[in-house]
Amino acid sequence: MPEEGVKVAVRVRPFNQREKDRKAHLMIKMSGQMTSITNPETPSEEPKKFSFDYSYWSHDGMVESSAGVFEPTPGSNYASQRKVFEDLGQGVLDNAFEGYNCSLFAYGQTGSGKSYSMVGYGANRGIVPITCDELFKTMSTNENTNKRFEVTFSMLEIYNEQVRDLLSRENPKGGLQVRQNPKLGYFYVEGLKKVPVGSYVEIEKRMDQGTANRTVASTNMNATSSRAHTVVSITFDQIIKNESGSETKKSSVMNLVDLAGSERADSTGATGDRLKEGANINKSLSALGNVISALADLSTGSKKKIVVPYRDSVLTKLLQNALGGNSKTIMIAALSPADINYDETLSTLRYADRAKKIKNKAVINENPMDKLIRELKEENDRLKKAMESGGMIEGSAGMSPEELERMKKEMEEQIRAQLMANQAMLSENDSKEDWDAKLRAAQSETDELKGVGSQSTRRSKDPYLINLNEDPMLSGVICHFLDSDKTTVGRKDAKPLPDVCLSGLSIQKLHAIITNKNGNIEISPAPGSASKTKVNGLPLSDTKVLSHKDRILFGSNHMYVIMNPKMTDTADKNLPNTIDWDFAQKEIAEIKGFATHSLGLTKDQMIAQEQVLEMLPMVSEVNAVSEELDKRKSFEVVLISAAAQEGVDVSSNNGTRVMVKMTNLLNSNTWLWQRGKFLNRRYLIQDLYQRFLDGDDLSKVSKEEDPFWEPPEEVLIGTANAFLQSLSYALDFEDQLMITDYKGQEEGTLAVTVTPCDAKGKPADEETFVEDPTEQLNKPFYFKVVVGKAEINKSRFSRGIRVQFALPFSNKKEPEVVQTQVMKNTLSPEFKFSKVLSINKVQKKHLEFFDHGCLTFYVFGMQEDTLPEPNLSKLTTKELRQRNNMKENADTTVRRKTLFGNDIASDQSHLKAEVVLLQRKHDRLVQKERRIQEICKEWEKKQESERQFDPFYRAVSAAAFSTGTRLKTRVQMLNQMLRLQKAVKKDDTSVSPQLNSPVVPPILRTSAAPGSISRQKTMDPSIVLQGQKFVRSLKTGSDLSNNKPAGGGMKRPTSAGGNRSDGSKACVIQ
């Protein structure tokens, strides 16, 4: 049996609007069969290259025809839908006519263009509809009277490891069962509806039916459509009658699979979730990856024993033939072109590269019908007899009665499954008369289906509601006409039955009433119900007139747009031509206070914005489940700035993180979940809610298995930042730092001291002060961090408080964290904690950290499961949430603080640290001034004959140049003395006349009482160095009045008006 490899194609789509707004860069290039991808982080590196059977460039180079079909412009290499079909779909079709099983599946992240290639949009039909259309066109050209065709169609969806029949409205609890044919070994879906079809139009209607059922189910069950796999199966039989009159059947099964989005679950946050293993949402794709890897290893001729894990998921069971079995298989991998999706796109390319190594063994499925039917009937007779007799269990000796009974039940189950499989095969081998009867019945049912085409006339004249869905394929599928005077909206268990039946979260029995008065549409909430309805993002509290293109949200998930073709002028002129899901969600987000524009945002901010828009409807949904199941938990989206993120340096470029805050409404305990953990829990919450709808007793679910339950854990009360500019000048820092939460709101204070010291922690004296931070380069440096007393505002944190901070300059990959002990039963803990930090040799990076960085202190509070107040226990989750919301300020400025508040607090701390540093420097300058004054006093007290210039000059110079480093001061004094001695020797007469010079330094002024001394304030900090400049002027004969004041190279503090504000004082001789 010849082996044939899986054919693999990759296709890159154009930029979408979101990527254009973010000014994304193209990272994909294609040349022939070669596809290359460039890492945006390292653009100078060689691109990674992959070779496939087909590389389709559909990024640009196209023009839209008058019929709405995208076609390549002259000279471009654009791959149109037709081109992709001719290469891939036509091969599927040809193989089907030859009698081979065929499989085509699309892989890629959500939004990469899988559905466009498989199904298409509008006039740009994809592989599936074109293949079906061409199938019937080819069948119509058959002129052989001894050959007839039978085509059956089925459509299913796999979501969370459950199989749903999309051609049936009702599906059993837990989905359809996947069983294995004991004789042939392949897996099949038990009870899946297979509909006979006689034309492409019938298939099109059935696909519309399946898509509509999928849309309703995804809305009612809160399922995320991008996480579901859709499988369309077309069974194509050719029955050929030979000369003897016997018939041979050539059968082909075409599986067309649109896989779920391949994006990896956000591992950040989800990795530590205690319930991680409970989510099956990614199980199918993970198992598919393992199957492909195992098959790729097998194809290399590896000698080690490799077991292909087909049984690990529902998807891999059903794709067993397509991967490594009896099938000719094609895979199309959809690529996103934007650099922001580099990791996911590279993962897709590697996935496709592994898939092309798989070898299949396809055979023509051709059997004589008479022989096949006879063998099936004979086997059925044997199985029935075995079932009636109870069967003989080999090796039953020594088995207990219970074990024998269990084995007997298992055997009966297997026999029953084999009987059902055989019966299904017998029904597929009906005579022509039986087949024609089945086809007529199916066509009659198909004709009753209301397709989109049949509604086009009504849509042009009658007002209607059209659905929106996050999956563009599922938007515009459900239509409710509002042509009657009154249309009621509610659940199907209401009496009388509402005109529009909805189900799912927050939908009341009678939810809303829509009236139509001569084309004027109004909506009002149902009387006496607390129904949740929003119009254009605002809660509906009273009757409201609806305009064309208004957006209506019923409950938590049912989003609709009202279209009023006779009142189009009532639409808001600022609305886009097409209202989509993203627009409606942005509108809700803006009303909640989140900014949705992208103008001027950084890449990280745009990512955060997208995550907010993604998570807001999810959080709304989870809150609705909490209310319905009365879980006493509330959820909200919060934005944590870099300054409030644990373990993140505020001076770094780390962006804002989107998280979800869960609050226990009974005792105010809180938890912050990262995005990955929340998404994981949401899937589990959906599963729990589905069990509730199925009638399961949720009281039997233990709290450890409850996705709403979380054990108490310490919570980050807030952060306090100590900026370290003072260490650049070897000065200490001491302050009461403000503790702020992620919103920038004050939660308390923390006393922190940072002091230069020696290796043993002994504080350095004032003499270590330096004026120029570079003087510390290449020297060892030690400083001690002392955490003192804290004052915490909220009483619930009295159960325990601790502080931690990360050590700067750590050589380890992970930052080294030190922490205080936990102080319990107090809101004013005295930590008395100290830590000596050392730098072996000060480098430029250390000085930069002192200047721009900070130590961030994380203050944690312990939480416990405490008993709630008796009055709270009587309230429902909905009442508790309303009570909680009343306490909070709903002003949008509070919401803005969620993003910027902590940054503001951080800036305030930074400015405060600068003020402290300037004060320290000022104090040091005052000390210099005081020393110069003392020298002046000593000079004044001496007799004229005792006044010697050289000692006076040396003393003033030493005081003026002193930076606290004794050795440096002494060297400078010695050098000045040597220079003066040389100058005096050259010209002995140059000094004496200068002493009687009329030039008077600025700090020496004459008053009415010569010889008296007084103090005078000056606004110029440079005055402390004027004594030294005066002495120099005596030597050089220069005029001080023309010189600019010297400041030792330091930045001078100024007041708001630009005046000096250091408050220096100088000695004045009068």
Side-chain angles (χ1 to χ4, degrees), residues 302-336:
S302 175
K303 293 182 179 180
K304 64 179 181 180
K305 186 177 180 181
I306 298 175
V307 177
V308 183
Y310 290 115
R311 293 177 175 272
D312 284 0
S313 77
V314 169
L315 177 69
T316 49
K317 287 177 182 177
L318 297 180
L319 291 183
Q320 181 175 2
N321 262 347
L323 299 169
N326 176 23
S327 176
K328 293 200 172 188
T329 301
I330 299 171
M331 171 183 175
I332 181 166
L335 308 179
S336 170

Side-chain angles (χ1 to χ4, degrees), residues 257-316:
V257 186
D258 188 358
L259 294 173
S262 64
E263 56 272 11
R264 295 162 293 178
D266 189 348
S267 58
T268 306
T271 50
D273 192 352
R274 63 185 177 83
L275 293 177
K276 180 187 174 188
E277 298 302 323
N280 288 322
I281 202 68
N282 294 310
K283 185 176 180 179
S284 290
L285 278 179
S286 299
L288 181 60
N290 295 336
V291 166
I292 288 177
S293 295
L295 290 170
D297 291 341
L298 277 175
S299 67
T300 61
S302 175
K303 293 182 179 180
K304 64 179 181 180
K305 186 177 180 181
I306 298 175
V307 177
V308 183
Y310 290 115
R311 293 177 175 272
D312 284 0
S313 77
V314 169
L315 177 69
T316 49

